[in-house]
Amino acid sequence: MSKENICDLQCPKLPNGDIQLNPAMCCKHCSTARKYFLTPENASLWTDEYGFWNDKGCKLDRDKMPIECKEYTCKDRMFYWCYVKFTPLVWKNNQWEELQAVECKLMGYAGDLKTLTTGIGNVLQKHCEEISVPK
Amino acid sequence: MNQDYICDLKCPQVVGLAPPEARCCRYCRVSRRYFLTPENSAYWTDEVGFLGDNGCRLSRDTMPPECKTYDCKNEVYYFCAIKYAPLVWDGDKWITLQVIQGQFIGEIDNIDELTETMNHFIKKYNKEFKSCESSDSTS
C-alpha cells in the first residue's frame, strides 16, 4: 500500500524566494485534473480555475479526498527554475543598440520542456509586440 | 535596382559573448550551396559555406547577387541569456542543483528558432546531468 502524505504547502520556490511555484501545481491531485471526482455533494468546494484546491491546500476533508491526492507528494519530483533575459538589437547611430529588454522567471516540472519553451516564446512574442519591434 | 552593400563585419554582438560566426554574412553560408561550382569549390566548406574569417571568400564579382545586396543592418537581432537549474527536495528543503547558463543571438524574425535552440540546450543538459547522476550513483 502506498504511503499517505499530507501536503505541507512547502512548494518549490525560486532561489531568491521571489516567486513560488503555483501551489496548485504541487497539489496537482487537488487541482482541476480531479474533475472526475466532482459530485453534487462536493460541488460547493470546486472551482473551474483551481479544482478542489485553495491557498491552504485541498478543500475536501481528508477522508473524502481522492486516494491519489492523499498519496501524492511533489517532493518525489524534480522541478526546474529558469531565468531568461531577452534584448532586441537594432543598428542605429552607426552601432548596434539595445532596445528595452524583458526578463522572465519560470518554474515547472523538469522534463516538461514544452511548457517552458512555449511560456518563454509567448513572453518574448508579447514583448516584441509591446515595444513595437520593427519587422 | 537593389543597392550593393559591402559587409563591414560589424556583426551584432554583445560584450562578453564571443562574436557570432559572421552571422550577418548569412548569404555567404551553407544556404548558398546552389552556387557551388567546380570553379569556386576551393572556397567552400560544408560547415560554413563560402564564409571565411573576413567574410565571404568569393571575390566580389563572383558572389551570389543576394550576398552583395544583403545588409544585416536592416534586420532586428536579439540577444538572449538563459539560466536553468533543476530543483529537488533534499529531505528538508528545496535545493538548486547545478545551474547552466546559455547565451544566444539571432534574428528576431526567427524567434521560433530561439525557443527550439533553448529546448535543445536544456535537453542536452538534462541528458548530461542524468548521465552524471547515474555514474555517481554507480560509483
Side-chain angles (χ1 to χ4, degrees), chain A residues 84-117:
Chain A
V84 174
K85 184 176 180 186
F86 175 85
T87 315
L89 297 167
V90 291
W91 182 258
K92 206 173 162 189
N93 303 323
N94 213 31
Q95 61 182 344
W96 290 101
E97 287 189 1
E98 294 183 0
L99 300 180
Q100 190 186 335
V102 65
E103 291 183 53
C104 61
K105 300 169 182 179
L106 300 128
M107 296 185 78
Y109 292 124
D112 185 11
L113 289 188
K114 196 174 174 199
T115 303
L116 171 62
T117 51

PDB file of all heavy atoms in Angstrom, chain A residues 84-117:
ATOM      1  N   VAL A  84      15.195  34.078 -17.907  1.00  0.00           N
ATOM      2  CA  VAL A  84      15.527  34.442 -19.287  1.00  0.00           C
ATOM      3  C   VAL A  84      15.561  35.957 -19.418  1.00  0.00           C
ATOM      4  O   VAL A  84      14.681  36.643 -18.898  1.00  0.00           O
ATOM      5  CB  VAL A  84      14.487  33.865 -20.281  1.00  0.00           C
ATOM      6  CG1 VAL A  84      14.739  34.369 -21.688  1.00  0.00           C
ATOM      7  CG2 VAL A  84      14.520  32.352 -20.274  1.00  0.00           C
ATOM      8  N   LYS A  85      16.613  36.452 -20.055  1.00  0.00           N
ATOM      9  CA  LYS A  85      16.655  37.890 -20.374  1.00  0.00           C
ATOM     10  C   LYS A  85      16.809  38.007 -21.880  1.00  0.00           C
ATOM     11  O   LYS A  85      17.725  37.414 -22.467  1.00  0.00           O
ATOM     12  CB  LYS A  85      17.814  38.580 -19.654  1.00  0.00           C
ATOM     13  CG  LYS A  85      17.808  40.077 -19.891  1.00  0.00           C
ATOM     14  CD  LYS A  85      18.875  40.803 -19.109  1.00  0.00           C
ATOM     15  CE  LYS A  85      18.803  42.297 -19.393  1.00  0.00           C
ATOM     16  NZ  LYS A  85      19.902  43.027 -18.766  1.00  0.00           N
ATOM     17  N   PHE A  86      15.938  38.789 -22.474  1.00  0.00           N
ATOM     18  CA  PHE A  86      15.872  38.877 -23.936  1.00  0.00           C
ATOM     19  C   PHE A  86      15.984  40.348 -24.334  1.00  0.00           C
ATOM     20  O   PHE A  86      15.229  41.186 -23.854  1.00  0.00           O
ATOM     21  CB  PHE A  86      14.521  38.296 -24.373  1.00  0.00           C
ATOM     22  CG  PHE A  86      14.218  38.412 -25.830  1.00  0.00           C
ATOM     23  CD1 PHE A  86      14.678  37.460 -26.735  1.00  0.00           C
ATOM     24  CD2 PHE A  86      13.441  39.467 -26.311  1.00  0.00           C
ATOM     25  CE1 PHE A  86      14.363  37.549 -28.079  1.00  0.00           C
ATOM     26  CE2 PHE A  86      13.129  39.561 -27.657  1.00  0.00           C
ATOM     27  CZ  PHE A  86      13.595  38.600 -28.539  1.00  0.00           C
ATOM     28  N   THR A  87      16.941  40.655 -25.183  1.00  0.00           N
ATOM     29  CA  THR A  87      17.183  42.048 -25.566  1.00  0.00           C
ATOM     30  C   THR A  87      17.216  42.185 -27.085  1.00  0.00           C
ATOM     31  O   THR A  87      18.087  41.590 -27.733  1.00  0.00           O
ATOM     32  CB  THR A  87      18.551  42.518 -25.014  1.00  0.00           C
ATOM     33  OG1 THR A  87      18.676  42.105 -23.661  1.00  0.00           O
ATOM     34  CG2 THR A  87      18.711  44.019 -25.127  1.00  0.00           C
ATOM     35  N   PRO A  88      16.306  42.955 -27.672  1.00  0.00           N
ATOM     36  CA  PRO A  88      16.398  43.201 -29.113  1.00  0.00           C
ATOM     37  C   PRO A  88      17.549  44.174 -29.427  1.00  0.00           C
ATOM     38  O   PRO A  88      17.853  45.056 -28.625  1.00  0.00           O
ATOM     39  CB  PRO A  88      15.053  43.843 -29.460  1.00  0.00           C
ATOM     40  CG  PRO A  88      14.154  43.512 -28.311  1.00  0.00           C
ATOM     41  CD  PRO A  88      15.062  43.473 -27.112  1.00  0.00           C
ATOM     42  N   LEU A  89      18.158  43.989 -30.574  1.00  0.00           N
ATOM     43  CA  LEU A  89      19.286  44.834 -31.004  1.00  0.00           C
ATOM     44  C   LEU A  89      18.972  45.421 -32.375  1.00  0.00           C
ATOM     45  O   LEU A  89      18.593  44.678 -33.281  1.00  0.00           O
ATOM     46  CB  LEU A  89      20.558  43.995 -31.157  1.00  0.00           C
ATOM     47  CG  LEU A  89      21.146  43.304 -29.940  1.00  0.00           C
ATOM     48  CD1 LEU A  89      22.194  42.287 -30.383  1.00  0.00           C
ATOM     49  CD2 LEU A  89      21.788  44.326 -29.031  1.00  0.00           C
ATOM     50  N   VAL A  90      19.159  46.739 -32.508  1.00  0.00           N
ATOM     51  CA  VAL A  90      18.958  47.364 -33.827  1.00  0.00           C
ATOM     52  C   VAL A  90      20.187  48.195 -34.173  1.00  0.00           C
ATOM     53  O   VAL A  90      20.913  48.669 -33.290  1.00  0.00           O
ATOM     54  CB  VAL A  90      17.710  48.291 -33.860  1.00  0.00           C
ATOM     55  CG1 VAL A  90      16.425  47.486 -33.747  1.00  0.00           C
ATOM     56  CG2 VAL A  90      17.785  49.355 -32.794  1.00  0.00           C
ATOM     57  N   TRP A  91      20.405  48.363 -35.466  1.00  0.00           N
ATOM     58  CA  TRP A  91      21.520  49.189 -35.924  1.00  0.00           C
ATOM     59  C   TRP A  91      21.068  50.641 -35.942  1.00  0.00           C
ATOM     60  O   TRP A  91      20.112  50.997 -36.618  1.00  0.00           O
ATOM     61  CB  TRP A  91      21.954  48.764 -37.331  1.00  0.00           C
ATOM     62  CG  TRP A  91      23.133  49.527 -37.857  1.00  0.00           C
ATOM     63  CD1 TRP A  91      23.102  50.542 -38.750  1.00  0.00           C
ATOM     64  CD2 TRP A  91      24.498  49.332 -37.507  1.00  0.00           C
ATOM     65  NE1 TRP A  91      24.367  51.001 -38.983  1.00  0.00           N
ATOM     66  CE2 TRP A  91      25.245  50.281 -38.231  1.00  0.00           C
ATOM     67  CE3 TRP A  91      25.169  48.465 -36.643  1.00  0.00           C
ATOM     68  CZ2 TRP A  91      26.639  50.368 -38.129  1.00  0.00           C
ATOM     69  CZ3 TRP A  91      26.549  48.561 -36.542  1.00  0.00           C
ATOM     70  CH2 TRP A  91      27.271  49.500 -37.278  1.00  0.00           C
ATOM     71  N   LYS A  92      21.723  51.469 -35.137  1.00  0.00           N
ATOM     72  CA  LYS A  92      21.324  52.868 -35.010  1.00  0.00           C
ATOM     73  C   LYS A  92      22.561  53.687 -34.654  1.00  0.00           C
ATOM     74  O   LYS A  92      23.398  53.211 -33.864  1.00  0.00           O
ATOM     75  CB  LYS A  92      20.305  52.972 -33.862  1.00  0.00           C
ATOM     76  CG  LYS A  92      19.348  54.134 -33.961  1.00  0.00           C
ATOM     77  CD  LYS A  92      18.305  53.995 -32.858  1.00  0.00           C
ATOM     78  CE  LYS A  92      17.595  55.296 -32.604  1.00  0.00           C
ATOM     79  NZ  LYS A  92      16.757  55.229 -31.410  1.00  0.00           N
ATOM     80  N   ASN A  93      22.642  54.875 -35.182  1.00  0.00           N
ATOM     81  CA  ASN A  93      23.777  55.754 -34.881  1.00  0.00           C
ATOM     82  C   ASN A  93      25.111  55.035 -35.078  1.00  0.00           C
ATOM     83  O   ASN A  93      26.033  55.147 -34.279  1.00  0.00           O
ATOM     84  CB  ASN A  93      23.696  56.295 -33.450  1.00  0.00           C
ATOM     85  CG  ASN A  93      22.402  57.040 -33.206  1.00  0.00           C
ATOM     86  OD1 ASN A  93      21.912  57.737 -34.109  1.00  0.00           O
ATOM     87  ND2 ASN A  93      21.823  56.888 -32.021  1.00  0.00           N
ATOM     88  N   ASN A  94      25.162  54.279 -36.160  1.00  0.00           N
ATOM     89  CA  ASN A  94      26.401  53.601 -36.534  1.00  0.00           C
ATOM     90  C   ASN A  94      26.879  52.531 -35.544  1.00  0.00           C
ATOM     91  O   ASN A  94      28.070  52.249 -35.457  1.00  0.00           O
ATOM     92  CB  ASN A  94      27.516  54.628 -36.768  1.00  0.00           C
ATOM     93  CG  ASN A  94      28.462  54.160 -37.842  1.00  0.00           C
ATOM     94  OD1 ASN A  94      28.056  53.459 -38.772  1.00  0.00           O
ATOM     95  ND2 ASN A  94      29.729  54.506 -37.701  1.00  0.00           N
ATOM     96  N   GLN A  95      25.946  52.013 -34.779  1.00  0.00           N
ATOM     97  CA  GLN A  95      26.301  50.895 -33.889  1.00  0.00           C
ATOM     98  C   GLN A  95      25.051  50.066 -33.566  1.00  0.00           C
ATOM     99  O   GLN A  95      23.926  50.517 -33.794  1.00  0.00           O
ATOM    100  CB  GLN A  95      26.917  51.425 -32.588  1.00  0.00           C
ATOM    101  CG  GLN A  95      25.954  52.299 -31.819  1.00  0.00           C
ATOM    102  CD  GLN A  95      26.561  52.870 -30.553  1.00  0.00           C
ATOM    103  OE1 GLN A  95      27.582  52.393 -30.088  1.00  0.00           O
ATOM    104  NE2 GLN A  95      25.932  53.873 -29.999  1.00  0.00           N
ATOM    105  N   TRP A  96      25.271  48.895 -33.018  1.00  0.00           N
ATOM    106  CA  TRP A  96      24.149  48.060 -32.583  1.00  0.00           C
ATOM    107  C   TRP A  96      23.710  48.540 -31.208  1.00  0.00           C
ATOM    108  O   TRP A  96      24.496  48.569 -30.270  1.00  0.00           O
ATOM    109  CB  TRP A  96      24.561  46.579 -32.530  1.00  0.00           C
ATOM    110  CG  TRP A  96      24.777  46.005 -33.890  1.00  0.00           C
ATOM    111  CD1 TRP A  96      25.975  45.806 -34.508  1.00  0.00           C
ATOM    112  CD2 TRP A  96      23.782  45.606 -34.819  1.00  0.00           C
ATOM    113  NE1 TRP A  96      25.780  45.290 -35.773  1.00  0.00           N
ATOM    114  CE2 TRP A  96      24.440  45.152 -35.987  1.00  0.00           C
ATOM    115  CE3 TRP A  96      22.389  45.558 -34.810  1.00  0.00           C
ATOM    116  CZ2 TRP A  96      23.760  44.674 -37.115  1.00  0.00           C
ATOM    117  CZ3 TRP A  96      21.718  45.088 -35.928  1.00  0.00           C
ATOM    118  CH2 TRP A  96      22.391  44.655 -37.063  1.00  0.00           C
ATOM    119  N   GLU A  97      22.446  48.937 -31.124  1.00  0.00           N
ATOM    120  CA  GLU A  97      21.924  49.445 -29.851  1.00  0.00           C
ATOM    121  C   GLU A  97      20.892  48.485 -29.286  1.00  0.00           C
ATOM    122  O   GLU A  97      20.122  47.875 -30.032  1.00  0.00           O
ATOM    123  CB  GLU A  97      21.276  50.818 -30.047  1.00  0.00           C
ATOM    124  CG  GLU A  97      22.305  51.900 -30.267  1.00  0.00           C
ATOM    125  CD  GLU A  97      21.681  53.295 -30.249  1.00  0.00           C
ATOM    126  OE1 GLU A  97      20.454  53.423 -30.041  1.00  0.00           O
ATOM    127  OE2 GLU A  97      22.447  54.247 -30.466  1.00  0.00           O
ATOM    128  N   GLU A  98      20.853  48.427 -27.965  1.00  0.00           N
ATOM    129  CA  GLU A  98      19.900  47.538 -27.303  1.00  0.00           C
ATOM    130  C   GLU A  98      18.566  48.258 -27.122  1.00  0.00           C
ATOM    131  O   GLU A  98      18.540  49.393 -26.663  1.00  0.00           O
ATOM    132  CB  GLU A  98      20.430  47.124 -25.929  1.00  0.00           C
ATOM    133  CG  GLU A  98      21.685  46.275 -26.018  1.00  0.00           C
ATOM    134  CD  GLU A  98      22.160  45.799 -24.658  1.00  0.00           C
ATOM    135  OE1 GLU A  98      21.498  46.135 -23.649  1.00  0.00           O
ATOM    136  OE2 GLU A  98      23.183  45.102 -24.607  1.00  0.00           O
ATOM    137  N   LEU A  99      17.479  47.591 -27.462  1.00  0.00           N
ATOM    138  CA  LEU A  99      16.149  48.111 -27.134  1.00  0.00           C
ATOM    139  C   LEU A  99      15.769  47.582 -25.743  1.00  0.00           C
ATOM    140  O   LEU A  99      16.543  46.848 -25.121  1.00  0.00           O
ATOM    141  CB  LEU A  99      15.122  47.651 -28.166  1.00  0.00           C
ATOM    142  CG  LEU A  99      15.375  48.090 -29.615  1.00  0.00           C
ATOM    143  CD1 LEU A  99      14.272  47.551 -30.527  1.00  0.00           C
ATOM    144  CD2 LEU A  99      15.434  49.613 -29.729  1.00  0.00           C
ATOM    145  N   GLN A 100      14.607  47.966 -25.293  1.00  0.00           N
ATOM    146  CA  GLN A 100      14.165  47.549 -23.961  1.00  0.00           C
ATOM    147  C   GLN A 100      14.158  46.018 -23.807  1.00  0.00           C
ATOM    148  O   GLN A 100      13.604  45.313 -24.649  1.00  0.00           O
ATOM    149  CB  GLN A 100      12.756  48.095 -23.715  1.00  0.00           C
ATOM    150  CG  GLN A 100      12.300  47.939 -22.293  1.00  0.00           C
ATOM    151  CD  GLN A 100      10.841  48.350 -22.141  1.00  0.00           C
ATOM    152  OE1 GLN A 100      10.322  49.143 -22.921  1.00  0.00           O
ATOM    153  NE2 GLN A 100      10.184  47.807 -21.143  1.00  0.00           N
ATOM    154  N   ALA A 101      14.785  45.579 -22.759  1.00  0.00           N
ATOM    155  CA  ALA A 101      14.871  44.127 -22.526  1.00  0.00           C
ATOM    156  C   ALA A 101      13.660  43.647 -21.740  1.00  0.00           C
ATOM    157  O   ALA A 101      12.959  44.429 -21.103  1.00  0.00           O
ATOM    158  CB  ALA A 101      16.145  43.818 -21.753  1.00  0.00           C
ATOM    159  N   VAL A 102      13.431  42.362 -21.800  1.00  0.00           N
ATOM    160  CA  VAL A 102      12.401  41.754 -20.948  1.00  0.00           C
ATOM    161  C   VAL A 102      13.037  40.579 -20.206  1.00  0.00           C
ATOM    162  O   VAL A 102      13.913  39.903 -20.742  1.00  0.00           O
ATOM    163  CB  VAL A 102      11.180  41.287 -21.786  1.00  0.00           C
ATOM    164  CG1 VAL A 102      11.539  40.170 -22.747  1.00  0.00           C
ATOM    165  CG2 VAL A 102      10.038  40.824 -20.886  1.00  0.00           C
ATOM    166  N   GLU A 103      12.628  40.400 -18.959  1.00  0.00           N
ATOM    167  CA  GLU A 103      13.132  39.265 -18.190  1.00  0.00           C
ATOM    168  C   GLU A 103      11.954  38.421 -17.744  1.00  0.00           C
ATOM    169  O   GLU A 103      10.899  38.959 -17.418  1.00  0.00           O
ATOM    170  CB  GLU A 103      13.885  39.751 -16.947  1.00  0.00           C
ATOM    171  CG  GLU A 103      15.185  40.449 -17.297  1.00  0.00           C
ATOM    172  CD  GLU A 103      15.961  40.849 -16.053  1.00  0.00           C
ATOM    173  OE1 GLU A 103      16.197  39.982 -15.189  1.00  0.00           O
ATOM    174  OE2 GLU A 103      16.314  42.027 -15.952  1.00  0.00           O
ATOM    175  N   CYS A 104      12.120  37.139 -17.728  1.00  0.00           N
ATOM    176  CA  CYS A 104      11.063  36.302 -17.165  1.00  0.00           C
ATOM    177  C   CYS A 104      11.645  35.203 -16.303  1.00  0.00           C
ATOM    178  O   CYS A 104      12.788  34.786 -16.483  1.00  0.00           O
ATOM    179  CB  CYS A 104      10.124  35.765 -18.231  1.00  0.00           C
ATOM    180  SG  CYS A 104      10.857  34.734 -19.470  1.00  0.00           S
ATOM    181  N   LYS A 105      10.863  34.817 -15.323  1.00  0.00           N
ATOM    182  CA  LYS A 105      11.251  33.768 -14.384  1.00  0.00           C
ATOM    183  C   LYS A 105      10.173  32.699 -14.431  1.00  0.00           C
ATOM    184  O   LYS A 105       8.994  33.016 -14.290  1.00  0.00           O
ATOM    185  CB  LYS A 105      11.339  34.341 -12.969  1.00  0.00           C
ATOM    186  CG  LYS A 105      12.342  35.457 -12.846  1.00  0.00           C
ATOM    187  CD  LYS A 105      12.208  36.173 -11.535  1.00  0.00           C
ATOM    188  CE  LYS A 105      13.193  37.325 -11.454  1.00  0.00           C
ATOM    189  NZ  LYS A 105      13.070  38.069 -10.202  1.00  0.00           N
ATOM    190  N   LEU A 106      10.578  31.492 -14.644  1.00  0.00           N
ATOM    191  CA  LEU A 106       9.598  30.423 -14.778  1.00  0.00           C
ATOM    192  C   LEU A 106       9.989  29.219 -13.930  1.00  0.00           C
ATOM    193  O   LEU A 106      11.166  28.992 -13.670  1.00  0.00           O
ATOM    194  CB  LEU A 106       9.508  29.987 -16.247  1.00  0.00           C
ATOM    195  CG  LEU A 106       9.085  31.078 -17.210  1.00  0.00           C
ATOM    196  CD1 LEU A 106      10.048  31.176 -18.359  1.00  0.00           C
ATOM    197  CD2 LEU A 106       7.707  30.821 -17.731  1.00  0.00           C
ATOM    198  N   MET A 107       8.974  28.486 -13.524  1.00  0.00           N
ATOM    199  CA  MET A 107       9.207  27.236 -12.812  1.00  0.00           C
ATOM    200  C   MET A 107       8.256  26.175 -13.344  1.00  0.00           C
ATOM    201  O   MET A 107       7.206  26.500 -13.899  1.00  0.00           O
ATOM    202  CB  MET A 107       8.925  27.406 -11.314  1.00  0.00           C
ATOM    203  CG  MET A 107       9.850  28.366 -10.641  1.00  0.00           C
ATOM    204  SD  MET A 107       9.547  28.391  -8.868  1.00  0.00           S
ATOM    205  CE  MET A 107      10.362  26.898  -8.384  1.00  0.00           C
ATOM    206  N   GLY A 108       8.633  24.931 -13.148  1.00  0.00           N
ATOM    207  CA  GLY A 108       7.742  23.863 -13.585  1.00  0.00           C
ATOM    208  C   GLY A 108       8.363  22.513 -13.302  1.00  0.00           C
ATOM    209  O   GLY A 108       9.388  22.432 -12.622  1.00  0.00           O
ATOM    210  N   TYR A 109       7.752  21.480 -13.820  1.00  0.00           N
ATOM    211  CA  TYR A 109       8.300  20.136 -13.668  1.00  0.00           C
ATOM    212  C   TYR A 109       9.462  19.965 -14.635  1.00  0.00           C
ATOM    213  O   TYR A 109       9.334  20.256 -15.818  1.00  0.00           O
ATOM    214  CB  TYR A 109       7.246  19.080 -14.023  1.00  0.00           C
ATOM    215  CG  TYR A 109       6.096  18.988 -13.066  1.00  0.00           C
ATOM    216  CD1 TYR A 109       4.795  19.126 -13.518  1.00  0.00           C
ATOM    217  CD2 TYR A 109       6.313  18.738 -11.722  1.00  0.00           C
ATOM    218  CE1 TYR A 109       3.720  19.029 -12.647  1.00  0.00           C
ATOM    219  CE2 TYR A 109       5.247  18.642 -10.844  1.00  0.00           C
ATOM    220  CZ  TYR A 109       3.966  18.788 -11.310  1.00  0.00           C
ATOM    221  OH  TYR A 109       2.911  18.693 -10.448  1.00  0.00           O
ATOM    222  N   ALA A 110      10.602  19.472 -14.145  1.00  0.00           N
ATOM    223  CA  ALA A 110      11.712  19.153 -15.052  1.00  0.00           C
ATOM    224  C   ALA A 110      11.200  18.074 -15.993  1.00  0.00           C
ATOM    225  O   ALA A 110      10.510  17.158 -15.579  1.00  0.00           O
ATOM    226  CB  ALA A 110      12.905  18.661 -14.257  1.00  0.00           C
ATOM    227  N   GLY A 111      11.523  18.198 -17.226  1.00  0.00           N
ATOM    228  CA  GLY A 111      11.028  17.214 -18.185  1.00  0.00           C
ATOM    229  C   GLY A 111       9.870  17.767 -18.995  1.00  0.00           C
ATOM    230  O   GLY A 111       9.645  17.345 -20.114  1.00  0.00           O
ATOM    231  N   ASP A 112       9.168  18.752 -18.437  1.00  0.00           N
ATOM    232  CA  ASP A 112       8.072  19.357 -19.195  1.00  0.00           C
ATOM    233  C   ASP A 112       8.611  20.581 -19.927  1.00  0.00           C
ATOM    234  O   ASP A 112       8.248  21.714 -19.632  1.00  0.00           O
ATOM    235  CB  ASP A 112       6.931  19.736 -18.241  1.00  0.00           C
ATOM    236  CG  ASP A 112       5.719  20.253 -18.994  1.00  0.00           C
ATOM    237  OD1 ASP A 112       5.695  20.125 -20.240  1.00  0.00           O
ATOM    238  OD2 ASP A 112       4.807  20.785 -18.347  1.00  0.00           O
ATOM    239  N   LEU A 113       9.504  20.331 -20.864  1.00  0.00           N
ATOM    240  CA  LEU A 113      10.171  21.445 -21.548  1.00  0.00           C
ATOM    241  C   LEU A 113       9.241  22.170 -22.505  1.00  0.00           C
ATOM    242  O   LEU A 113       9.444  23.345 -22.799  1.00  0.00           O
ATOM    243  CB  LEU A 113      11.384  20.931 -22.321  1.00  0.00           C
ATOM    244  CG  LEU A 113      12.562  20.496 -21.462  1.00  0.00           C
ATOM    245  CD1 LEU A 113      13.762  20.190 -22.332  1.00  0.00           C
ATOM    246  CD2 LEU A 113      12.927  21.589 -20.462  1.00  0.00           C
ATOM    247  N   LYS A 114       8.228  21.470 -22.969  1.00  0.00           N
ATOM    248  CA  LYS A 114       7.320  22.105 -23.930  1.00  0.00           C
ATOM    249  C   LYS A 114       6.624  23.294 -23.265  1.00  0.00           C
ATOM    250  O   LYS A 114       6.523  24.373 -23.848  1.00  0.00           O
ATOM    251  CB  LYS A 114       6.305  21.089 -24.436  1.00  0.00           C
ATOM    252  CG  LYS A 114       5.615  21.566 -25.682  1.00  0.00           C
ATOM    253  CD  LYS A 114       4.719  20.524 -26.276  1.00  0.00           C
ATOM    254  CE  LYS A 114       3.950  21.157 -27.433  1.00  0.00           C
ATOM    255  NZ  LYS A 114       2.783  20.409 -27.793  1.00  0.00           N
ATOM    256  N   THR A 115       6.167  23.085 -22.025  1.00  0.00           N
ATOM    257  CA  THR A 115       5.504  24.179 -21.318  1.00  0.00           C
ATOM    258  C   THR A 115       6.482  25.324 -21.095  1.00  0.00           C
ATOM    259  O   THR A 115       6.142  26.498 -21.246  1.00  0.00           O
ATOM    260  CB  THR A 115       4.961  23.682 -19.963  1.00  0.00           C
ATOM    261  OG1 THR A 115       4.082  22.588 -20.219  1.00  0.00           O
ATOM    262  CG2 THR A 115       4.206  24.761 -19.223  1.00  0.00           C
ATOM    263  N   LEU A 116       7.719  24.977 -20.766  1.00  0.00           N
ATOM    264  CA  LEU A 116       8.730  26.013 -20.528  1.00  0.00           C
ATOM    265  C   LEU A 116       9.002  26.821 -21.797  1.00  0.00           C
ATOM    266  O   LEU A 116       8.922  28.052 -21.790  1.00  0.00           O
ATOM    267  CB  LEU A 116      10.034  25.362 -20.033  1.00  0.00           C
ATOM    268  CG  LEU A 116      11.243  26.297 -19.952  1.00  0.00           C
ATOM    269  CD1 LEU A 116      11.006  27.425 -18.960  1.00  0.00           C
ATOM    270  CD2 LEU A 116      12.508  25.543 -19.567  1.00  0.00           C
ATOM    271  N   THR A 117       9.326  26.133 -22.897  1.00  0.00           N
ATOM    272  CA  THR A 117       9.705  26.879 -24.100  1.00  0.00           C
ATOM    273  C   THR A 117       8.506  27.609 -24.712  1.00  0.00           C
ATOM    274  O   THR A 117       8.656  28.696 -25.249  1.00  0.00           O
ATOM    275  CB  THR A 117      10.384  25.967 -25.147  1.00  0.00           C
ATOM    276  OG1 THR A 117       9.562  24.820 -25.357  1.00  0.00           O
ATOM    277  CG2 THR A 117      11.743  25.518 -24.680  1.00  0.00           C
TER     278      THR A 117
END
